[in-house]
Amino acid sequence: MSKFSIEADIRSKLAVVLGFSTIAVFIQHIYVLSFILIISIAAALLFGANILKAIKTTRNLWYLFFIIVILQSIFSRSGQALLAINGFPLITAGGVLKGGEFLMRVSVIVFSATIISTSNSREVVQGLVQLKIPYDIAFMVSVAIRFLPLLRSEIKDTFTAIQLRGLDLKKIPLKRRIRVYLYIFNPVVAGAIRKARGLSIAMEMRAFRAYRKRTSFLKLRLSAADYFIMVFTLIFTSAVFVMFYYFNFPAGII
Amino acid sequence: MHPIKISDLRFKYEEAQKNILDGINLELAAGKITAILGLSGCGKTTLCYCMCGIIPHIYHGHLDGEILLFGNPLHKMELSRIARSIGIIFQDPDTQLFSPTVEDEIAFGPENLCLDREEIAQRIEICLKLVNMEKHRFEHPENLSGGEKQLIAIASVLAMDPDLLIFDESLAQIDADGKERVKNVMLQLKTLGKSVVLVEHDPDNLAIADDIFFLKSGKLEAINITNKREFDELYKI
Ligand SMILES: Nc1ncnc2c1ncn2[C@@H]1O[C@H](COP(=O)(O)OP(=O)(O)O)[C@@H](O)[C@H]1O
Ligand SMILES: [Mg+2]
């Protein structure tokens, strides 16, 4: 993607994500959400996040979001009917607005979270540690994040093994395909757990948790740019809230 | 003093019918490379686990007999203390590396030992140099070849500065070039005065060993093989 990107400390990235997500969660207004969505995409690009890749890897999540959006627009009926059956309003303007808001809110959270992914797991752990979060908890976060790729590689290996035996999963009927999925579920999970246990043994044999404390070779330092980012995020977030709640801007549209 | 002295070691996994280790006696020679051979499933990994405290600290079962680590009874030591004297490298490089850069990976052990930054920096440099991987310092271990990953696993264990290193079929999953590089590192470790245990089932990798033992029916037997025919003979029965 773009060559230019801001080198920032994980802690200022966390501040940005926290600020944007807070706005997205608390202010349920389509204009504000659109504005924050654009800003968060711009910020993610500035920090050098790969948004396309993020959308691809969370593809299944987006299907789920779309289903929720459709359900939400069907169930929350208000305003003008856009689609009616026998005079019964099925899809309404208010419902579509609600669905759109939901979609924007999760988009803001997902896109701003991609900013975190521009730091590696060691930096994330160290960032949390330097924010005075106990190392054990910080490390657990990174182990949990690591377990997902383990599971994914295990699934990939299993599918490759199946396909090497001449079974093309794309070509068999759905009912049989589901049977295959159920069949491999246990070995895949068992394999991932076995690998995870191997990792934890390797860690223990390198004296993990030998003492209550540990030192750290990596030391994160905030630069002038980091202070600027954090102060800017704080002012920006507060400004949006003050405008919305105190000056009532932008006003409601329905 | 023997890095490890095992007397009449017996072990049975909890669900198992009979002892997988059934009267092991071993006096490991200091500063030498000791190879342990045996058929697949005969208990080589189990023996390695006993030697470095993974049994009984992590895996449980019925354990009998005594293991002395540099004269101290192993079962009384905590794993983190054992880890200062013994380093173990496993077969699968992917279950040993968990850090986003080679440097972080090597720093992990020394950080746990609470060494200060200067000392850790020194150890990272020395260990990377020893395995000849200096130019990969800032790379993601995931992007390395199998042999290179194994070299990083070795460097990360060496950073703990152990006196004894156990390689549990660590050569099995890597290519010919990687095998040569790892074997060279083993020989270097020997010149540094470290003791090495090499669990193997490939005769080609035995040339660097000083002593060879064969594990069969839960017992260890010192053997002396000089050619491939004798080796094949060993596995016949
Ligand atoms: N955690 C365990 N629980 C029960 N049985 C085990 C466990 N690990 C290994 N075994 C059994 O013990 C035997 C020896 O295994 P292992 O020591 O891995 O042999 P080797 O390394 O020589 O191939 C095998 O039959 C194996 O099934
Ligand atoms: Mg084994």
Side-chain angles (χ1 to χ4, degrees):
Chain A
M1 297 205 59
S2 61
K3 284 247 158 48
F4 172 79
S5 68
I6 301 172
E7 285 287 327
D9 189 278
I10 177 68
R11 286 164 290 176
S12 36
K13 294 177 190 171
L14 281 172
V16 171
V17 175
L18 201 67
F20 289 177
S21 303
T22 312
I23 295 175
V25 166
F26 287 105
I27 303 190
Q28 312 192 346
H29 190 293
I30 193 90
Y31 290 172
V32 178
L33 285 169
S34 317
F35 175 61
I36 292 298
L37 180 58
I38 292 167
I39 298 279
S40 65
I41 290 176
L45 291 175
L46 270 179
F47 280 110
N50 191 341
I51 289 193
L52 287 179
K53 196 175 145 221
I55 293 176
K56 252 190 201 155
T57 50
T58 52
R59 204 176 42 215
N60 292 334
L61 210 59
W62 290 105
Y63 292 143
L64 185 71
F65 291 157
F66 274 115
I67 292 172
I68 294 176
V69 166
I70 291 170
L71 287 179
Q72 204 161 28
S73 34
I74 289 177
F75 283 110
S76 69
R77 277 190 294 270
S78 66
Q80 194 192 346
L82 298 179
L83 180 70
I85 297 174
N86 288 340
F88 180 77
L90 197 60
I91 295 180
T92 61
V96 170
L97 195 69
K98 272 265 167 340
E101 279 175 13
F102 170 78
L103 196 62
M104 286 198 181
R105 200 171 313 134
V106 291
S107 302
V108 169
I109 294 171
V110 171
F111 288 145
S112 60
T114 60
I115 296 172
I116 304 278
S117 71
T118 58
S119 290
N120 72 38
S121 61
R122 181 71 188 89
E123 287 165 348
V124 176
V125 171
Q126 189 59 25
L128 295 176
V129 167
Q130 288 184 225
L131 287 170
K132 301 277 181 277
I133 289 170
Y135 179 81
D136 277 10
I137 293 173
F139 193 78
M140 227 100 84
V141 171
S142 93
V143 168
I145 295 169
R146 214 196 119 76
F147 188 72
L148 291 178
L150 260 180
L151 200 61
R152 198 159 55 212
S153 81
E154 201 67 24
I155 291 172
K156 219 175 89 197
D157 289 353
T158 310
F159 277 125
T160 314
I162 288 176
Q163 249 141 19
L164 282 177
R165 282 175 205 163
L167 186 66
D168 192 350
L169 279 173
K170 290 206 180 78
K171 285 189 184 141
I172 62 173
L174 185 66
K175 211 171 142 195
R176 263 192 71 201
R177 212 187 317 169
I178 290 173
R179 278 236 308 274
V180 174
Y181 288 143
L182 290 176
Y183 187 68
I184 64 166
F185 182 78
N186 280 333
V188 162
V189 172
I193 289 176
R194 190 179 47 76
K195 275 196 182 152
R197 172 178 275 194
L199 276 178
S200 83
I201 290 180
M203 282 175 193
E204 292 221 35
M205 287 317 292
R206 271 151 68 192
F208 185 45
R209 293 202 227 172
Y211 304 103
R212 289 275 253 327
K213 287 177 75 171
R214 80 198 284 278
T215 51
S216 161
F217 181 63
L218 180 72
K219 278 267 179 305
L220 301 178
R221 293 176 83 183
L222 295 172
S223 65
D226 288 308
Y227 286 111
F228 177 78
I229 293 170
M230 286 196 242
V231 170
F232 179 82
T233 307
L234 185 68
I235 293 175
F236 175 81
T237 309
S238 329
V240 171
F241 274 99
V242 169
M243 292 286 271
F244 189 75
Y245 285 112
Y246 195 73
F247 293 107
N248 221 354
F249 174 84
I253 52 172
I254 287 186
Chain B
M1 189 186 298
H2 300 289
I4 279 203
K5 184 167 182 283
I6 304 179
S7 334
D8 203 28
L9 177 73
R10 284 161 212 278
F11 180 75
K12 185 166 88 68
Y13 281 108
E14 234 135 48
E15 323 85 83
Q17 302 291 322
K18 59 184 184 64
N19 287 349
I20 178 80
L21 304 176
D22 199 20
I24 301 269
N25 289 291
L26 176 68
E27 292 185 349
L28 211 60
K32 287 193 173 174
I33 300 182
T34 305
I36 295 177
L37 302 179
L39 296 174
S40 180
C42 74
K44 302 182 296 294
T45 297
T46 307
L47 180 57
C48 293
Y49 283 179
C50 291
M51 285 199 274
C52 63
I54 294 176
I55 294 174
H57 285 291
I58 298 178
Y59 289 114
H60 311 285
H62 302 275
L63 185 66
D64 245 326
E66 188 179 52
I67 303 180
L68 297 179
L69 176 61
F70 295 97
N72 302 310
L74 188 88
H75 69 274
K76 283 189 188 153
M77 293 185 198
E78 295 204 3
L79 220 44
S80 54
R81 209 182 127 209
I82 298 171
R84 288 154 189 255
S85 315
I86 303 185
I88 180 163
I89 293 105
F90 302 95
Q91 180 171 346
D92 183 357
D94 289 326
T95 61
Q96 301 174 74
L97 308 178
F98 42 82
S99 304
T101 71
V102 165
E103 179 188 82
D104 294 328
E105 192 67 58
I106 300 175
F108 181 82
E111 286 174 339
N112 291 330
L113 297 179
C114 291
L115 302 182
D116 59 45
R117 290 187 73 215
E118 291 73 43
E119 171 81 24
I120 297 176
Q122 253 177 14
R123 290 200 181 185
I124 293 175
E125 253 163 58
I126 293 171
C127 296
L128 273 177
K129 196 155 181 220
L130 197 81
V131 296
N132 201 5
M133 289 286 285
E134 294 112 308
K135 60 174 190 288
H136 299 283
R137 179 167 180 156
F138 299 107
E139 278 177 44
H140 197 305
E142 198 87 329
N143 302 333
L144 301 174
S145 76
E148 289 170 335
K149 281 183 193 171
Q150 232 19 336
L151 289 168
I152 297 307
I154 296 171
S156 328
V157 167
L158 281 175
M160 313 272 300
D161 197 25
D163 300 300
L164 166 66
L165 283 119
I166 301 175
F167 292 84
D168 185 5
E169 298 196 46
S170 309
L171 298 170
Q173 288 188 9
I174 58 185
D175 60 19
D177 176 53
K179 282 190 172 91
E180 283 315 308
R181 292 179 70 179
V182 175
K183 278 194 270 183
N184 274 330
V185 171
M186 290 178 190
L187 287 170
Q188 273 192 67
L189 293 177
K190 186 176 145 180
T191 64
L192 291 174
K194 312 255 180 209
S195 315
V196 174
V197 171
L198 175 60
V199 170
E200 261 303 322
H201 60 214
D202 183 353
D204 291 340
N205 297 330
L206 292 178
I208 58 169
D210 299 299
D211 300 321
I212 305 178
F213 290 88
F214 192 64
L215 178 60
K216 196 179 143 193
S217 314
K219 291 185 174 60
L220 269 184
E221 179 191 346
I223 54 169
N224 192 358
I225 24 179
T226 46
N227 60 46
K228 183 126 171 40
R229 197 185 53 76
E230 286 173 348
F231 185 86
D232 291 339
E233 204 66 26
L234 209 56
Y235 279 82
K236 251 186 193 155
I237 324 130

